[in-house]
Amino acid sequence: HDAVAWGYARAAASRGVDIIQNCEVTGINRGPDGSVTGVETTRGTIGAKKVGVVAAGHSTVLMQMAGVQVPLESYPLQALVSEPVKPVFPCVVMSNTVHAYISQSDKGELVIGAGTDQYTSYSQTGGLHIIQHTLDAICEMFPIFTRMKMLRSWGGIVDVTPDRSPILAKTPVKGLYVNCGWGTGGFKRRRARRMCLLTPSRATSRIPSMRPSRWSGSATGDSSTRLQQQQSPTKAKPQEILHESHQPLGEAVAF
């Protein structure tokens, strides 16, 4: 994952994209007409006429800075790696039955991923029983790995929609775009997301399954509404994403 992420970062930087690390977004600025004018960060103000929110598990927090509510829930997702060994596993195996996948990195480590925890949280630790269940399943499928030692584990936060399909669209706030709800598969679909968000010919107006208007009535539902109100510190009045746009997205600033 790191090699791929840094590869994208180097390619973007070579094409004039500014990547600012350790720069937390603390607010979304809006003009008198309600349109986006930029973002506030821990390192100052960044002006922009178009802002794209691509923040995975923290999408709800950032969107509520602009008063927009999205139907998402955030869950911890864990992964772990083993001690390095010689090449023994030249493919990727994923089992939806036991919610686990395994592959081997170039350094020889076995990269093992688990399913999401069963509770909503912004914690990046996750439950130990999830890892234990995953390792039991991996060892049952591949007994050869029973004596392997695990080196480290980590957790991230994924965003999930009610129908487990992503949202890639414009919002009621002019100049504000959102790319979220990819759950555990967002990293593998990164190229497709970029093309849909930034390339007019592949704008989300041509992908009905990603429009927020696929939900009838309330865009959030009671459970996710309560979750967002509890997890987000903002008091901005939420809006609902109910419209569908047939205009190309154009370029956006993603953070």
Side-chain angles (χ1 to χ4, degrees), residues 10 13 19 46 78 134 161 172 178 194 207:
R10 284 193 295 268
I19 301 175
I46 300 176
Q78 301 181 78
T134 301
T161 62
V178 62
R194 177 191 65 81
I207 311 177

Side-chain angles (χ1 to χ4, degrees), residues 202-224:
R202 303 194 182 190
T204 53
S205 60
R206 303 191 180 191
I207 311 177
S209 62
M210 293 186 184
R211 298 176 189 167
S213 59
R214 64 181 182 265
W215 289 288
S216 60
S218 173
T220 55
D222 293 339
S223 61
S224 57

